[in-house]
Amino acid sequence: MKKKIAVIGLGYVGLPLARLFATQYQVVGFDINKNRIAELTKGTDKTLEVPDEDLQAVLVTDFNTNAKGLYCTDALQDVADCTYYIITVPTPVDKNNRPDLTPLYKASESVGSVLKKGDIVIYESTVYPGATEEECVPVLEKHSGLQFNKDFFAGYSPERINPGDKEHTIEKILKVTSGSTPEIGIQVDELYKSVITAGTHLAPTIQVAEAAKVIENAQRDINIAFVNELAKIFNLLNIDTHAVLAAAATKWNFLPFKPGLVGGHCIGVDPYYLAQKAQEAGYHPEIILAGRRMNDSMGHYVASEVIKLMLNHDLKIKGASLLVLGITFKENCPDVRNTKVVDVIQHLKGYGTSIDIYDPWASPEEVMREYGLVTIDSMPNKKYDAIVLTVAHQEFITLDLDVLKADAAAVVYDVKGILADKAEAKL
Ligand SMILES: NC(=O)c1ccc[n+]([C@@H]2O[C@H](COP(=O)([O-])OP(=O)(O)OC[C@H]3O[C@@H](n4cnc5c(N)ncnc54)[C@H](O)[C@@H]3O)[C@@H](O)[C@H]2O)c1
């Protein structure tokens, strides 16, 4: 049977996937965001995950063509004749850090309304184990009137892409696959295997694949929480944490994690999905939630360390002029979702300081919309009492910080530990 693939949600995950499948299959990319569709149809990706020339190479404008390629649309009827539906919509947490499955339910309703006998719906969004079959499949059944594992089938294949990483691109990352029956597992696996050059790992069940993804990110969160705790201890002892980590890393099995702010919508969010499911099952996760608490405390900690450094340099805090370098949640990437730099800024503002935020990657409009903060995307022509490097964008590594300092007492605080002796203190 000819494969026609719908990708539902064309964000950081969906677009690279749709682009990759479109090199071999007929793909329809569907997104409810009209602006996103307009931008993609013009051949530009503002997330910078897919280079414009790669996007333009697969884009097709004729929806009725049988040729391979990617057709982007916000009209649901355009995906009606697909046989595979791959759902890559956001899975955030609410203000109480509880999983918010609304986008998944909505996408499942949409797909359910066009589902036909024999179709396979594959979820890629990060969820807790059980979410696909317990939460999403009933919505598909309700809106299609079809019966699960008889009329239609499901799969789960978690995404592992790393935004901003131009080396580990989607086809080079081994992908875990799964299906709602053993036969469908093989079919889903073969679909991904046909485009992922790094290969696939077929998990025995959907729940196993869901659990595998969520623990990958929970493990990173806990490891970073551990080095953040080390940074707090070594700062009290006046020992250079980065020097300690470099020394320890000479042992073959020491894991090279660095202290820092844990933002974004993966590492800082996914552990809450697992924690919720654990609590529903009657287990209160101790280590997972301790890791979250530690990492969520780092914005406040960094701000208080900056203030301490300024006081040690006899700088007046109230009214001091500060420059924060970077607002995105990670380096060399425009994604500002759930960035913890905002915590640093809020706490520093609480001391009465005046703050400029410079980020050459972030969209000032998006930062204003998300956080109500003004950012500048070109180098400021001002002098500052303190400069706080929060994100390791490539532009900052070679920046001449001396020209930005108000006087000899001005200080630089390096959250990322990349400035060597250009900083008075680092995390
Ligand atoms: N970004 C990452 O690094 C990454 C890596 C691995 C896994 N994930 C997971 O992948 C999922 C998607 O993340 P993302 O970063 O691509 O999100 P994103 O916000 O970049 O993109 C999601 C897209 O889905 C669209 N959308 C929302 N609801 C929709 C609906 N009902 N129908 C159609 N489109 C809809 C949005 O308009 C948006 O364009 C999440 O579960 C995330 O945890 C993300």
Side-chain angles (χ1 to χ4, degrees):
M1 189 179 54
K2 192 171 149 294
K3 294 184 178 73
K4 186 167 179 184
I5 303 169
V7 175
I8 312 294
L10 298 173
Y12 279 87
V13 165
L15 183 68
L17 185 78
R19 201 281 317 168
L20 180 63
F21 273 125
T23 58
Q24 289 194 37
Y25 300 101
Q26 201 183 349
V27 179
V28 183
F30 169 77
D31 201 296
I32 49 170
N33 182 340
K34 284 188 190 316
N35 293 337
R36 179 70 171 152
I37 294 300
E39 161 204 327
L40 295 176
T41 307
K42 282 189 206 129
T44 323
D45 168 27
K46 78 169 172 23
T47 68
L48 307 178
E49 286 306 299
V50 176
D52 288 355
E53 59 274 21
D54 292 359
L55 176 60
Q56 286 157 15
V58 295
L59 275 186
V60 292
T61 46
D62 181 6
F63 164 62
N64 288 315
T65 174
N66 279 327
K68 65 185 181 188
L70 172 64
Y71 180 78
C72 296
T73 181
D74 59 4
L76 186 62
Q77 66 268 23
D78 292 348
V79 299
D81 66 339
C82 292
T83 47
Y84 285 86
Y85 293 87
I86 306 182
I87 299 186
T88 53
V89 297
T91 42
V93 286
D94 67 15
K95 63 181 185 348
N96 298 314
N97 291 325
R98 280 187 306 237
D100 175 5
L101 297 180
T102 313
L104 266 187
Y105 290 140
K106 295 262 180 238
S108 303
E109 282 173 21
S110 300
V111 171
S113 70
V114 293
L115 211 56
K116 304 157 303 298
K117 283 197 172 182
D119 288 351
I120 301 180
V121 186
I122 304 166
Y123 290 83
E124 288 223 359
S125 304
T126 308
V127 288
Y128 52 74
T132 299
E133 284 153 305
E134 292 160 18
E135 300 294 331
C136 302
V137 163
V139 179
L140 293 173
E141 282 189 312
K142 183 174 167 207
H143 287 264
S144 65
L146 298 174
Q147 204 180 327
F148 179 49
N149 275 345
K150 180 170 161 276
D151 300 326
F152 76 94
F153 303 89
Y156 182 79
S157 179
E159 187 49 70
R160 285 172 160 166
I161 61 153
N162 182 23
D165 185 339
K166 300 299 167 223
E167 195 187 324
H168 301 101
T169 46
I170 179 165
E171 68 280 9
K172 295 192 199 128
I173 307 171
L174 191 139
K175 208 155 181 345
V176 172
T177 59
S178 65
S180 54
T181 68
E183 299 71 36
I184 294 300
I186 292 168
Q187 217 172 304
V188 170
D189 192 60
E190 273 167 4
L191 177 71
Y192 281 98
K193 225 191 258 171
S194 67
V195 290
I196 304 283
T197 45
T200 55
H201 171 93
L202 174 56
T205 63
I206 286 179
Q207 276 202 331
V208 168
E210 291 169 322
K213 169 64 190 181
V214 83
I215 68 158
E216 285 169 23
N217 284 347
Q219 186 186 64
R220 281 187 70 74
D221 198 40
I222 291 162
N223 279 312
I224 298 168
F226 173 61
V227 287
N228 275 337
E229 183 159 282
L230 295 180
K232 287 184 176 181
I233 295 169
F234 293 139
N235 284 344
L236 285 171
L237 301 177
N238 282 325
I239 300 173
D240 180 337
T241 307
H242 291 268
V244 176
L245 292 174
T250 57
K251 190 180 175 206
W252 72 94
N253 59 0
F254 187 83
L255 301 175
F257 284 90
K258 295 265 167 58
L261 303 165
V262 181
H265 51 288
C266 282
I267 301 178
V269 166
D270 301 347
Y272 288 122
Y273 273 69
L274 183 57
Q276 155 116 355
K277 190 66 183 173
Q279 277 159 339
E280 277 173 18
Y283 178 79
H284 181 76
E286 294 181 44
I287 294 175
I288 295 170
L289 292 180
R292 283 284 65 244
R293 276 196 301 279
M294 171 58 67
N295 288 341
D296 273 352
S297 74
M298 293 310 286
H300 190 186
Y301 178 74
V302 164
S304 58
E305 289 293 290
V306 171
I307 297 297
K308 212 190 288 175
L309 177 67
M310 291 175 72
L311 289 170
N312 284 339
H313 282 247
D314 294 326
L315 288 162
K316 185 167 177 275
I317 304 297
K318 193 162 180 212
S321 165
L322 269 66
L323 176 65
V324 168
L325 293 173
I327 182 114
T328 60
F329 92 85
K330 69 181 291 192
E331 65 278 5
N332 306 327
C333 169
D335 198 345
V336 295
R337 285 176 293 174
N338 196 24
T339 170
K340 294 298 166 198
V341 179
V342 169
D343 293 358
V344 179
I345 292 166
Q346 261 165 6
H347 286 292
L348 286 173
K349 277 192 173 167
Y351 289 94
T353 61
S354 158
I355 300 179
D356 284 346
I357 308 159
Y358 165 47
D359 193 314
W361 287 78
S363 144
E365 297 75 34
E366 206 176 332
V367 178
M368 176 50 73
R369 196 172 55 242
E370 291 285 320
Y371 303 108
L373 291 170
V374 175
T375 46
I376 40 177
D377 53 9
S378 57
M379 184 67 171
N381 186 19
K382 268 174 73 178
K383 307 278 181 194
Y384 298 93
D385 300 311
I387 299 159
V388 187
L389 181 130
T390 44
V391 185
H393 288 320
Q394 67 214 15
E395 290 84 349
F396 296 156
I397 295 168
T398 50
L399 208 60
D400 182 0
L401 297 175
D402 285 338
V403 299
L404 294 164
K405 288 181 169 178
D407 52 34
V411 292
V412 175
Y413 186 88
D414 180 6
V415 175
K416 300 300 294 184
I418 56 161
L419 294 174
D421 53 3
K422 284 196 268 180
E424 276 69 32
K426 57 191 166 189
L427 179 61

